Structures are given as structure tokens and as C-alpha cells.
Amino acid sequence: MASLNEIKCVPMKKLREFVKQCVMKAGAQESHASDLADLLATADHRGHFSHGLNRMEMYVNDLLSGIASKDGQPEIEKETVSTALVNGNNLLGPAIGKFCMRLAINKAKSTGIGMVTVHKSNHYGIAGYYSLMAGDEGLLGMSFTNTSPLVVPTRAKECTFGTNPIAFTAPSATSADDFTLDMATSTVALGKIELEKRKGTQIPNGWGADPDGNETNEPARVLNGGGLLPLGGSEQSGGYKGDCKQTSLTGKFIYKNTSLAKTSIKSIQITMVHE
């Protein structure tokens, strides 16, 4: 058996098929399972190990528990030539995310910009996956979403803010010069804390807080009643500035219940013609 610190290479095709079969076994439609499999494989391939296979168990459990719906398709509730509002019908987040970005891409190609928002969605993986979809079409791509409360504000003990990721892709004439930003508005994503716990290693200063709101290097203390620290880390290193950033993104909507937050996630996909 490979150790936790040993790296083992797996062909992308084999990884995608493995994830697809696991998710279909949990009841997902084949097309939705394929969307999820491609996203998780892409995340691992790009080095986002926190959002690759590390996340498959969560998606499977969401299907088995009924948090995510197994049947149906995303639906356009309202639209103009450049914008749309989509109802995700509580399906797997990656299936909804790809639907929305494809829609935004088509609108951008017709009018110069496409902006699509969605509600009744679920965890949609790395935000950069969707901005890269636009980049592959020669368009500027942006993707944003809110999340469940995972971040402890400066001088607080309770998780109040989401990690609220931001992704932006700008293609260039040569692929070597393409630019993609994919970041959380916390110091790190929650999945990075989970990975360190699995490896049995401590986390750096500024990543997380324990249940009393104190900075900690123990992953288990963050995951069991604690939370992530905002962008900038602790108060001494400028974490309060991350608080301001997250407040502007989350607005007044704070979900206490995890299931409610999961099924109320809103995201935005934007594409623009790149001259």
C-alpha cells in the first residue's frame, strides 16, 4: 500500500472513468457524472489536490443523502441577449456550472458579453474550471460563488463568512502566456486543511483557528469546531483586511445550517470578448 506522502501517477482517462462510475453508482445521471469526473480530474491535474479526488466522497454523500438531486436539468428562468438567471434544481454543482458557463460563452460570442447567475446549486468545485472554459474559447472568463460559513472573522470564534472563491482567466495569443487566477478569500481553502490532517502534518500560521478563535497549527482543531482565517491570516498579519473583502462579497446573507447553505449557493459566470 502506498504511503500518504507517496505520489502515484494515474492516467487522466482512468481517473475520469473511476470517478464517473462511483458517482453514477450513487445515482447521478451519466452526463452529470461525466461533468463531475472531468472537473475533479482537472483539479488534481492542475495541482488543486484539495478539490480533486479529495472532494469525491462529499459529492457521493450529497447524492446518497438527498442534499443534491439526482434527476433533472438546469433551467433558464429569465434571460436577455446577454444575461440569464438559471435555476440549478439542486443538481450536482459541476453539471450546473458547466451549463451556465456554456450559456455565458454563447451569449458573449453573440453580443460581446455574457453574464449568467444561478441559484439552487451545490458545491461546484474549483472556480477556475469555469473561467478556463471561457479562455479555451478565446474569451475572458470569470466565475464567482458563495459558500457555507467556513471563515472565522478577526476577533471572533464562530464561522460567519464563506471562502467565496474568485476565478479569472485571460487568454493570450500563445497558450504559454495565458493567465488564470483561482483563489479563495480565506488564507487557504478548507480542503488544504483536510489534506494536512490526512498526512498527519501541522498547518502553517495564519491558516486556521480553533473553536475558541485562537490561531492554531493543528488541522483537527480547525476542522472540529474551528474555522479558516480570512485572507491575510491573523489580525497581526492583516486578516481584518480579508474580513472587509469577504463582507463586500457575501452581503447580508449568512446561512447557519450547512444543508441550507449547500442548497442555496449562488454563483456567477461571466465571459467577455477578448480583443
Side-chain angles (χ1 to χ4, degrees), residues 38-120:
D38 189 60
L39 182 139
L40 296 189
T42 300
D44 274 338
H45 186 246
R46 293 183 65 85
H48 289 286
F49 303 120
S50 60
H51 284 65
L53 276 181
N54 180 60
R55 279 281 166 262
M56 186 176 72
E57 181 182 7
M58 181 195 72
Y59 289 110
V60 169
N61 287 337
D62 281 355
L63 287 166
L64 295 176
S65 66
I67 288 177
S69 299
K70 301 174 182 178
D71 302 313
Q73 297 295 334
E75 298 175 331
I76 300 173
E77 291 188 340
K78 298 179 182 179
E79 69 175 323
T80 68
V81 291
S82 295
T83 67
L85 171 65
V86 172
N87 183 340
N89 286 321
N90 200 35
L91 297 164
L92 285 172
I96 301 168
K98 289 189 74 171
F99 175 91
C100 291
M101 185 49 86
R102 289 191 191 108
L103 181 59
I105 288 170
N106 290 335
K107 289 181 178 295
K109 287 183 175 180
S110 297
T111 68
I113 184 171
M115 178 182 291
V116 178
T117 63
V118 59
H119 65 106
K120 294 185 180 178

Side-chain angles (χ1 to χ4, degrees), residues 155-228:
R155 299 187 182 180
K157 294 196 299 183
E158 184 178 347
C159 290
T160 304
F161 299 137
T163 56
N164 306 328
I166 299 170
F168 172 79
T169 293
S172 65
T174 60
S175 59
D177 291 327
D178 289 353
F179 173 82
T180 295
L181 169 72
D182 185 357
M183 58 173 280
T185 53
S186 51
T187 303
V188 294
L190 184 68
K192 287 183 169 55
I193 308 289
E194 296 169 344
L195 290 176
E196 296 308 310
K197 182 176 182 293
R198 289 186 181 183
K199 291 188 291 185
T201 57
Q202 291 194 323
I203 58 175
N205 293 332
W207 280 25
D210 64 20
D212 295 318
N214 299 314
E215 189 175 8
T216 181
N217 301 113
E218 298 295 334
R221 297 283 285 163
V222 178
L223 299 172
N224 299 320
L228 300 171

Side-chain angles (χ1 to χ4, degrees), residues 5-69:
N5 293 317
E6 182 180 342
I7 296 176
K8 185 175 182 180
C9 292
V10 178
M12 288 279 282
K13 183 177 180 180
K14 182 177 292 187
L15 176 60
R16 288 192 184 97
E17 185 61 25
F18 171 73
V19 174
K20 177 182 174 181
Q21 293 302 321
C22 288
V23 179
M24 287 178 64
K25 189 70 174 179
Q29 302 171 55
E30 183 174 2
S31 62
H32 295 179
S34 294
D35 290 338
L36 174 58
D38 189 60
L39 182 139
L40 296 189
T42 300
D44 274 338
H45 186 246
R46 293 183 65 85
H48 289 286
F49 303 120
S50 60
H51 284 65
L53 276 181
N54 180 60
R55 279 281 166 262
M56 186 176 72
E57 181 182 7
M58 181 195 72
Y59 289 110
V60 169
N61 287 337
D62 281 355
L63 287 166
L64 295 176
S65 66
I67 288 177
S69 299

Side-chain angles (χ1 to χ4, degrees), residues 102-155:
R102 289 191 191 108
L103 181 59
I105 288 170
N106 290 335
K107 289 181 178 295
K109 287 183 175 180
S110 297
T111 68
I113 184 171
M115 178 182 291
V116 178
T117 63
V118 59
H119 65 106
K120 294 185 180 178
S121 182
N122 286 291
H123 191 287
Y124 79 158
I126 54 170
Y129 181 84
Y130 307 100
S131 65
L132 284 164
M133 286 177 61
D136 288 343
E137 297 290 332
L139 303 169
L140 295 172
M142 289 173 273
S143 183
F144 317 95
T145 186
N146 66 339
T147 75
S148 304
L150 298 169
V151 180
V152 179
T154 302
R155 299 187 182 180

